[in-house]
Amino acid sequence: DTGVSQNPRHKITKRGQNVTFRCDPISEHNRLYWYRQTLGQGPEFLTYFQNEAQLEKSRLLSDRFSAERPKGSFSTLEIQRTEQGDSAMYLCATLPGQHYGYTFGSGTRLTVV
Amino acid sequence: QKEVEQNSGPLSVPEGAIASLNCTYSDRGSQSFFWYRQYSGKSPELIMSIYSNGDKEDGRFTAQLNKASQYVSLLIRDSQPSDSATYLCAVKESGGSYIPTFGRGTSLIVHP
């Protein structure tokens, strides 16, 4: 257990359905990041929060993706109208400060059928 | 477009040998460098960070950074079968949002 909790661990959904993932970070880490990782690739940045403010979004984050971090605590990532290309591991990571390495959660593996 | 390049491998070494993993990066302004280990089906785990030119040792792991040549490497001494995993290199630039760029990782297999 890294201290960063992600739920669910696995999600299988039909194409076109909406899905939502949750990340509960280490309480004293104010920076929270979402990444996506497909087989054989490194993690790809999606979006970043400092406290409750969403400060940066990757161009990978299409209009179907939205993320929130109300009150600077847990964060949710929602994918609307899922496509097969959305199948991946979705990783949440937190930092106590900008010069540190990430602590990753265990990830949510999404399979779109 | 910032790029971080790693040989995908697999790199196969016998137990007890030194495993050498390499990473090159394109952004000369990069200041922070990280190595993560990722077991199959699991999330990445931070094992080393390095910020200055030279070597940094932590147990069986040594990270080496050469900013002039834009490469960073990870040496694993006395490799064990439990070291078999994918090793991800991540590089952060000095300014902006400090979002690191990850390489695709190198698969390491340590055989008994």
Side-chain angles (χ1 to χ4, degrees), chain A residues 9 33 35 37 40-43 45 48 56 59 89 91 95 97-102 104-107 109, chain B residues 1 32 34 36 38 41-46 49 51 88 92 94 96-105:
Chain A
R9 294 292 298 273
Y33 301 75
Y35 279 81
Q37 187 178 24
Q41 301 297 319
F45 169 74
Y48 151 55
E56 189 162 336
R59 63 181 183 279
M89 174 81 89
L91 294 163
L95 281 178
Q98 62 195 18
H99 296 297
Y100 292 82
Y102 287 140
F104 281 95
S106 54
R109 181 165 297 283
Chain B
Q1 176 78 12
S32 305
F34 305 89
Y36 292 83
Q38 187 172 27
K42 303 295 185 183
S43 61
E45 171 193 12
L46 179 69
S49 58
Y51 307 98
L88 298 163
K92 272 192 203 181
S94 59
S97 57
Y98 299 91
I99 307 295
T101 300
F102 282 83
R104 63 186 298 177

Side-chain angles (χ1 to χ4, degrees), chain B residues 1 7 13 17 23 28 33 37-38 41 45 48 51-52 67-69 72 75 77 79 82-83 89 91 98 101 106-107:
Chain B
Q1 176 78 12
N7 187 322
V13 301
C23 171
R28 284 194 171 274
F33 306 85
R37 177 176 60 200
Q38 187 172 27
E45 171 193 12
M48 290 286 288
Y51 307 98
S52 304
K67 290 185 179 179
S69 300
V72 56
L75 301 179
R77 290 182 300 281
S79 295
S82 58
D83 295 326
C89 172
V91 176
Y98 299 91
T101 300
T106 298
S107 175

